[in-house]
Amino acid sequence: MVIDTNGLKSDELKEYLSDPSNVAVLPDFAILETLKIGDAKGISDQLATCAERPKQIKVLKPTYSVAGLRSRRRSRGLQRRLVDKKQTAFFKTFCGKVEGAKDGDQLLQKQLKSRCEAASFDLEKIVKNQETFTANLAEHAKNYTEAELKILRKGEPITPELFSKITGHIFDLLLWLLATHPYFKKLPDFKTLPNAFLSRFAVAGYVVALRCIKEGGANGASAENIGSQMVDAMFATYATYFDGILTKDRRCQEIYDATSDVLKVLRSGFTKLEADGWQIVNPAKAGEATARVD
């Protein structure tokens, strides 16, 4: 199971790992948010349960690299391709270095401080990147009629027409994600899209957008709040590749549940989009492509 940051110190995780056949999966955001704590003792406390059973821990590749992976039609091997073998093997050593820093080793303290500062910078950048999202949220809500907004806000059954509209917006978001990721010079094969990370994240990200619209649009949706929800969307996306998510955050759980439900009924949407035809306009403008991660 994927472990949300707030689940790292939970009794549920201890119980889960008490079965040696269970594996805890740590996305990069779990590590970043843990390092943001900023001091060796707090980080040590956060990782204590995982540190006791390092052989049951899998650390995933950085999200940016995962997003650029070539998608495959078959589900076999998807989990394996997400795992960072080096970071997974290094996890026990990393926990040992945190302990050394906690015990007063000045060199390790200096190294840890540098990593903590880098993690804080990365997370702050995520918040900053949501400012445009926040500014455009109220405008995007105009795509929905008052009747449709009422359905969303009251949690009423979604009509086929409304679901079709939502699906269209999800594919628009997917196109934009593909166009702005420098690993993609051309569109991936349609048959592989359901297994592509960016496809699943487009669903989770749009679930966040719908939640914000449902809760009043941009009026109270700060960049910080949106940034936090987008991190939840990342956790939810990773969880779709594994056996779910272990989290104490109801919002994160709801994003995962909604994302999973939409993905189950979205495959027909990929077929329709292929029939209608689609393309990225000038994808090279998003930046020069670098070596693709395989």
Side-chain angles (χ1 to χ4, degrees):
M1 292 188 73
V2 168
I3 312 302
D4 189 10
T5 312
N6 59 46
L8 289 171
K9 294 173 66 176
S10 67
D11 291 335
E12 289 81 0
L13 178 58
K14 290 181 180 179
E15 181 179 355
Y16 176 70
L17 291 178
S18 66
D19 182 340
S21 66
N22 287 337
V23 174
V25 179
L26 302 185
D28 56 347
F29 284 103
I31 304 297
L32 289 174
E33 291 185 325
T34 295
L35 288 172
K36 188 182 178 182
I37 294 172
D39 68 272
K41 184 181 183 308
I43 296 171
S44 174
D45 291 345
Q46 183 89 320
L47 295 176
T49 299
C50 291
E52 291 175 358
R53 299 179 181 272
K55 292 184 179 181
Q56 292 174 247
I57 308 302
K58 298 290 185 184
V59 181
L60 299 186
K61 295 174 182 176
T63 294
Y64 193 74
S65 295
V66 170
L69 285 170
R70 284 192 183 96
S71 55
R72 295 179 177 177
R73 183 178 183 180
R74 300 177 65 182
S75 298
R76 183 177 180 181
L78 287 178
Q79 295 179 351
R80 174 181 53 78
R81 297 178 74 229
L82 300 183
V83 174
D84 190 318
K85 294 181 180 179
K86 291 183 179 179
Q87 291 300 316
T88 296
F90 184 71
F91 181 74
K92 181 177 180 180
T93 300
F94 170 69
C95 291
K97 288 187 174 184
V98 171
E99 289 301 304
K102 185 180 73 171
D103 293 339
D105 186 305
Q106 293 186 355
L107 177 59
L108 293 177
Q109 288 177 346
K110 183 177 179 180
Q111 292 174 348
L112 184 61
K113 180 181 178 182
S114 177
R115 294 195 64 172
C116 291
E117 291 174 348
S120 294
F121 175 80
D122 287 343
L123 291 171
E124 288 171 5
K125 187 165 60 175
I126 292 172
V127 172
K128 185 174 179 60
N129 289 342
Q130 304 314 314
E131 291 177 354
T132 301
F133 183 102
T134 305
N136 292 339
L137 196 58
E139 189 67 24
H140 182 72
K142 294 178 182 178
N143 290 313
Y144 294 95
T145 66
E146 285 300 320
E148 290 170 337
L149 290 173
K150 180 180 178 182
I151 290 173
L152 293 173
R153 288 170 180 162
K154 291 192 174 183
E156 297 175 354
I158 294 178
T159 64
E161 294 78 15
L162 178 54
F163 185 78
S164 179
K165 181 180 287 191
I166 290 171
T167 301
H169 291 314
I170 288 173
F171 283 124
D172 288 342
L173 176 57
L174 171 57
L175 283 170
W176 181 83
L177 290 171
L178 289 168
T180 55
H181 197 298
Y183 285 177
F184 293 98
K185 280 187 173 181
K186 62 180 181 179
L187 294 172
D189 189 315
F190 270 92
K191 295 181 178 63
T192 70
L193 282 179
N195 289 331
F197 182 87
L198 287 181
S199 294
R200 298 189 185 192
F201 176 66
V203 174
Y206 202 74
V207 165
V208 169
L210 289 179
R211 286 177 60 90
C212 292
I213 292 172
K214 176 181 177 181
E215 294 168 4
N219 300 323
S222 65
E224 184 175 4
N225 178 273
I226 296 295
S228 176
Q229 291 197 59
M230 283 302 183
V231 171
D232 288 341
M234 290 291 185
F235 277 105
T237 303
Y238 279 117
T240 65
Y241 290 95
F242 296 92
D243 296 329
I245 189 166
L246 193 159
T247 179
K248 298 178 73 67
D249 185 342
R250 186 179 67 178
R251 181 183 69 187
C252 185
Q253 184 67 54
E254 289 176 349
I255 292 173
Y256 165 70
D257 291 340
T259 299
S260 297
D261 289 342
V262 174
L263 285 171
K264 289 176 184 177
V265 297
L266 203 56
R267 288 182 180 271
S268 61
F270 286 108
T271 303
K272 181 178 184 301
L273 189 63
E274 182 178 14
D276 292 343
W278 68 321
Q279 62 180 355
I280 293 179
V281 179
N282 296 325
K285 290 184 178 180
E288 294 298 323
T290 59
R292 188 184 295 274
V293 179
D294 286 306

